[in-house]
Amino acid sequence: MHINFPNYIDLEFEARSFPFSKSNRIDFEFSDSIFPVFKPLPYLGTALIDAVFLHQRISEDLYCFYAIKHSTGYEIVHHGHLETWGVRKNDLFRIAMDNMRKQIVGNLEIHGDAEGMMFTMNGEFEAGLLMIDEIWEQLEEQTGDQLVISVPSRGVLVACGKSNFKASNPLQMVVKSIFRESDAPLSDKWFIRSEGQWSVFKA
């Protein structure tokens, strides 16, 4: 099923949006290649993964890991990396968010309106957009509505206004289809943001 997103929503990202300046930037090998990545809930099914790989729970069904982007793929960051780099977990989070913001500038496009939006960037980090507060603060101000979002796949993020959710049945069907057919499925649930936190949306 095809959904048409005819409009284009423009967001502003200025230098002040970035958490680091040149004077306090933490530099180590791969510091410019760390990004937030999302894995489906079954990925957390073993004690080994829980204990070794750095991750944080964003909401039900949504867990964020951190990965080093190599030319041939991704390597999930583990505690041994932090010891080698001399970096704390909080610093790693800030570095990943900084790198995400750099990807956003000049690359992020948002097509649609409050009835349905499709986010496109580079096909790799779209799910990580939900970690960037400025996006949701600006969009909710522009639409005058709380947004509900879905990340059925790592490279797919869609949203609509809360008040339009029941009318967005075609968009919901697309989400279910992507989740079923994707090589990198995440979740078929919808999530809502309140006071900077995401939770499962119960319509």
Side-chain angles (χ1 to χ4, degrees):
M1 180 177 293
H2 175 70
I3 301 292
N4 185 32
F5 296 94
N7 301 320
Y8 175 74
I9 300 173
D10 187 30
L11 297 185
E12 294 183 1
F13 283 86
E14 301 176 3
R16 59 180 173 81
S17 297
F18 294 83
F20 289 105
S21 66
K22 291 183 179 179
S23 62
N24 65 7
R25 171 77 192 193
I26 299 174
D27 288 313
F28 59 92
E29 187 179 15
F30 305 122
S31 62
D32 291 328
S33 303
I34 305 294
F35 294 94
V37 295
F38 284 75
K39 294 288 186 180
L41 192 59
Y43 191 79
L44 285 165
T46 70
L48 176 63
I49 288 176
D50 287 350
V52 174
F53 294 107
L54 293 163
H55 64 276
Q56 64 185 100
R57 180 179 181 270
I58 307 304
S59 181
E60 303 95 321
D61 258 18
L62 289 181
Y63 285 80
C64 176
F65 289 73
Y66 301 95
I68 308 165
K69 182 182 179 182
H70 298 294
S71 59
T72 56
Y74 295 90
E75 177 185 2
I76 301 297
V77 175
H78 53 72
H79 290 280
H81 285 117
L82 296 192
E83 294 176 6
T84 299
W85 298 333
V87 175
R88 296 174 301 179
K89 183 177 180 180
N90 287 345
D91 292 329
L92 186 75
F93 171 81
R94 294 172 61 203
I95 290 166
M97 294 305 100
D98 183 36
N99 291 336
M100 269 297 296
R101 288 180 171 91
K102 289 179 179 178
Q103 286 286 318
I104 289 169
V105 175
N107 293 313
L108 175 63
E109 292 186 355
I110 306 173
H111 300 274
D113 53 30
E115 294 183 3
M117 304 177 199
M118 173 69 76
F119 295 69
T120 61
M121 194 163 60
N122 53 22
E124 297 177 303
F125 304 118
E126 277 79 355
L129 295 171
L130 63 88
M131 306 282 286
I132 308 298
D133 290 337
E134 304 97 287
I135 291 176
W136 311 106
E137 291 167 358
Q138 289 188 52
L139 285 176
E140 290 185 351
E141 182 177 355
Q142 289 182 28
T143 61
D145 198 358
Q146 271 187 294
L147 294 178
V148 291
I149 67 103
S150 181
V151 280
S153 178
R154 185 180 66 193
V156 176
L157 191 152
V158 297
C160 68
K162 178 182 176 182
S163 60
N164 291 292
F165 183 77
K166 291 185 178 179
S168 67
N169 186 57
L171 187 59
Q172 295 176 51
M173 293 178 66
V174 167
V175 164
K176 290 182 181 298
S177 176
I178 292 172
F179 178 75
R180 288 194 305 267
E181 299 173 9
S182 174
D183 293 332
L186 288 181
S187 174
D188 61 351
K189 292 183 172 63
W190 287 78
F191 302 88
I192 190 166
R193 184 175 179 272
S194 179
E195 297 182 354
Q197 302 295 321
W198 294 98
S199 60
V200 171
F201 177 61
K202 299 178 174 61

